[in-house]
Structures are given as structure tokens and as C-alpha cells.
Amino acid sequence: MSHSLRKRITKSDATLAMSLIVAVCIWMAGAWALPLLWGCLALALLTAYCVLEMNNRCHLMRERSRMMSSVFLLIIASFGMLHTDGRALTVALTISILNYRLLVSYQQKNAVWPAATAFMMLGISICLFPPLILLTPFIWFGCHHHIQILTRQVWRASLLGLITPFIYALLYMLWKGIAPLDYILSSVSTSSPLFCGFSAYPLPPLPILVSSGALILLALWSIAHFGRTSNKDNTRTRLSLEMLTMEFYFLFLLAALFPQDIQVLMAAILVVAAPLIGHYVTLADGRLHDFAFWLWTLVFIALGVLNKCNLWNIL
């Protein structure tokens, strides 16, 4: 019964609609008149739409399902600390557009425009969180090995797209009288224990630590399942999910190196992990995975209540 119920949930078209309703109700609970919540909710919904379209266009699952975008909506709704964090949600949106534009251009002969727009999104995310510049060579590797579109023309277009946001950001800083180098150094040196030592950085607040830990554990569980069953997927699906897995491991490493910015990285990790989690909950078979599905559901329900109602002090 549990197995059939889980399958009906993951394959039903109504799941996405219900996830959307639940996410909006949780997000706006008790603060319908707050403009910041509406703006951040719009960013989250746009990101969920990108995840949905990426699944539709790239056929990331062997069976028809809307669980990838549903997973994103429900988990982001349970992370109350992100509901007013426009910076984190903007980074998540840019990374989702980046992956969407690259994955849909799989093996295209002249993917100049998709590469330019994708790397422009990466440039915007770097402006918001400079350490993400370290992600650039991994994306270029993914374009070569996983997406198989990297040519000289595509590389030049990606470089042009990458530097375009920097040009606008530089002009804005000069207009405001901000020294660009000072901004970059302060963004890195005040965030990373590599510069000041790990002892200078306490653990993140308990809500962020537990929520990000639950997300990372679920993502690792899903990646392990994908690794065992990837031979059942077609080549495009396997390569696309492998690229998302590579991005997840990189963002996980950044979260360890920049603990003070883990809230920004939580949203980015969720964007790349949602397709992997959706792939897992939809395609996994067996009683163990049925139990895990309901267990993780209860975990994120509990996190949603604790985060939204600020009940952590009780614990």
C-alpha cells in the first residue's frame, strides 16, 4: 500500500499543483501584506518553473513526473530563513537558469547564444556571491564532457556572457564610489575561515545548520541511488544528472569553506539537488525507499514548522 501510494503521489499531475498551494500558504502565513515576502516568493516560483522546464525539455526521468519542481517548492517552503533572503533566492534563480540553458543545448552544433546567456547568469551570481567564480572552470568542463557543446566560438561567447555583468557592476560601483577590489576582498576575507582560521567562525545558527544538514543528507542519499541505477537512464539523462552532481559537490565544499554564507549556498544547493532528489523519490523501488520517502517527508514537515514558527528556542 505504501509503495503504491508513493508511486501515485510521484506520478500524479496534481502533486505539483498541491505543492504550489502548500508552498505559497506556508510562505505567506501570517505576513500577507509584507512586500519583501511577495518578491522573494516570486523568485522562488520562477526558480521552480525553471526546474520544471528543465525536466520537461531534457527528459531527466524515465517516467512522467513533476516531482523535481515539487521537491524544490516543498523544501524551500520548509526553510523559513530563506523566505526573506532575496540575495540567496536570486543566486538560486540564476543557477537554475544557467543549468536550464546549458542542459537544453545538449550536443547542439552551435550553442553560442545558450552559452552566452547561461554564463551571463553565472556572472550575475558571482556578483552577488564572489566565491562562485570558482564554479566557472567546472561549468566549462561540464560543457565539454557532459553537454558536449564546447567549441572555440562557444567558449568566446561564454566568456563574453560571463564578463558582461561585471562591466555593469563595475560601472555601478564607480558611480557609487565603491572600490571594486575592496568589495571583492571584503566579501572573501570576511566570509572564509581560510583567511582568519576556523576557530574564528562559530557554527551557523541551529536552524540553518539542521536544515542544511538535512538537505545535504537527502541529496547524498539521492546521489547514491542515482549512482546505483544510472545504467537504466539514457545517455543524455545520465550526463545531465552527473553534471548536477558535480555542481552539488562543489557547492557542498563552498558551504564548508564559507560557513558564514551557508544560507546563500543552501538555496544554490537546493536548486542543483532538487532534480536528483526528484529522480530518487520517483524511480526508487523497494520498501526501504518507501520508508525513506515518508521519513524524509516528516523531517521536512517538522523543519517547516520549526523554522516558520521560530520554535527552535524550545529545543
Side-chain angles (χ1 to χ4, degrees), residues 189-204:
S189 61
T190 61
S191 298
S192 178
L194 293 177
F195 293 86
C196 302
F198 282 90
S199 60
Y201 290 86
L203 289 174

Side-chain angles (χ1 to χ4, degrees), residues 15-189:
T15 299
L16 178 58
M18 292 301 299
S19 300
L20 176 61
I21 294 171
V22 170
V24 171
C25 290
I26 294 174
W27 201 288
M28 303 306 299
W32 290 92
L34 189 60
L36 179 59
L37 274 179
W38 284 104
C40 290
L41 176 61
L43 291 172
L45 294 180
L46 286 172
T47 305
Y49 178 74
C50 288
V51 175
L52 174 66
E53 281 300 303
M54 184 169 63
N55 181 31
N56 291 340
R57 295 282 300 276
C58 301
H59 310 290
L60 295 182
M61 279 196 279
R62 302 187 296 273
E63 301 176 1
R64 177 180 173 83
S65 175
R66 297 287 184 264
M67 281 306 296
M68 292 185 177
S69 48
S70 298
V71 163
F72 174 82
L73 284 171
L74 293 174
I75 294 182
I76 198 82
S78 71
F79 291 168
M81 68 288 293
L82 295 178
H83 293 181
T84 55
D85 194 336
R87 178 190 177 209
L89 293 170
T90 303
V91 169
L93 176 60
T94 56
I95 291 179
S96 67
I97 298 174
L98 160 72
N99 286 322
Y100 169 74
R101 292 295 290 162
L102 290 179
L103 294 183
V104 298
S105 63
Y106 174 75
Q107 288 188 340
Q108 287 186 13
K109 293 183 178 180
N110 191 23
V112 171
W113 177 243
T117 54
F119 277 82
M120 185 180 297
M121 293 298 106
L122 179 59
I124 293 173
S125 66
I126 293 171
C127 290
L128 294 171
F129 184 56
L132 283 175
I133 195 171
L134 300 174
L135 180 60
T136 307
F138 293 93
I139 300 299
W140 272 326
F141 174 78
C143 289
H144 170 71
H145 178 70
H146 299 99
I147 313 302
Q148 301 173 20
I149 61 171
L150 192 62
T151 62
R152 290 184 179 179
Q153 292 83 359
V154 169
W155 183 82
R156 286 196 292 265
S158 67
L159 191 60
L160 178 61
L162 182 66
I163 65 175
T164 298
F166 296 154
I167 296 174
Y168 285 103
L170 177 62
L171 294 175
Y172 175 79
M173 289 181 183
L174 293 177
W175 177 53
K176 288 292 187 178
I178 303 172
L181 184 60
D182 291 343
Y183 168 76
I184 295 173
L185 291 177
S186 64
S187 297
V188 176
S189 61

